[in-house]
Amino acid sequence: MTDSFDIPNPPIRLLVTFQERFPDQALTWLVKAPGWDMWAAAASCDGYNLTLAAPDLDGQTNFSLRSAKTKRTVSNRPLPRWARYPGGILVVLGEMGLEISGLNIALVGEEPPGPRYEYALGVAFLTLAYNIHGQNYTREGLVDVMERVRREYMEE
């Protein structure tokens, strides 16, 4: 586990995106996925929904644990492909007793576009979740959870 603000040189576009998308929110968490060039900035908000903004993909979506279980957004649309790993992580963490709700999150990275980028988004989201819960983690432990999400959620 790392201190939520102990990250050298987060990308400026992460901070700008967070401020633009969530102007009334004070940044609470800032994390970098260990071993990946992917960052997350987040703040708590009212309610149960999570809003994810991914400016590198020109995307934003809103889902909850309940909607993620059916791979849908809160407006009952299919969860965008890029948000499937975060949705699966939300479900798996819920099964592990580490529920996450009421968050606004900006995610940016320097990973190559495609499946590696989407996977790294998931790792950043998982890193954020562990920081929120004060859980220790290792890169290997994150990969183990990601593999479970891939098997149990992505391949269904």
Side-chain angles (χ1 to χ4, degrees):
M1 185 172 83
T2 62
D3 182 357
S4 292
F5 287 105
D6 188 23
I7 298 175
N9 303 318
I12 296 299
R13 75 182 190 287
L14 172 67
L15 304 175
V16 168
T17 296
F18 183 85
Q19 185 59 42
E20 287 176 352
R21 302 283 175 101
F22 313 112
D24 298 329
Q25 298 268 217
L27 183 63
T28 308
W29 295 281
L30 181 62
V31 299
K32 181 180 184 294
W36 285 269
D37 287 326
M38 189 66 63
W39 296 264
S44 296
C45 63
D46 292 334
Y48 298 99
N49 298 342
L50 286 84
T51 299
L52 272 62
D56 298 339
L57 303 171
D58 293 323
Q60 183 164 316
T61 193
N62 192 315
F63 60 94
S64 65
L65 175 58
R66 183 177 180 177
S67 71
K69 287 179 179 178
T70 59
K71 300 178 183 148
R72 311 291 285 184
T73 67
V74 293
S75 58
N76 202 28
R77 296 181 183 264
L79 204 56
R81 179 179 171 88
W82 62 267
R84 294 273 310 272
Y85 271 111
I89 289 162
L90 190 65
V91 171
V92 167
L93 288 177
E95 293 169 359
M96 296 168 59
L98 298 173
E99 288 192 16
I100 300 287
S101 65
L103 288 176
N104 289 323
I105 306 165
L107 298 156
V108 302
E110 300 297 332
E111 297 292 338
R116 180 174 169 92
Y117 191 94
E118 293 167 6
Y119 185 91
L121 276 176
V123 176
F125 181 80
L126 181 56
T127 302
L128 173 66
Y130 278 158
N131 272 271
I132 289 169
H133 280 286
Q135 298 287 312
N136 290 325
Y137 56 85
T138 62
R139 179 182 162 92
E140 294 76 24
L142 294 172
V143 170
D144 289 345
V145 173
M146 292 297 293
E147 181 59 21
R148 178 177 170 191
V149 170
R150 187 191 61 75
R151 280 190 325 269
E152 297 177 10
Y153 190 84
M154 302 295 286
E155 293 183 354
E156 290 180 345

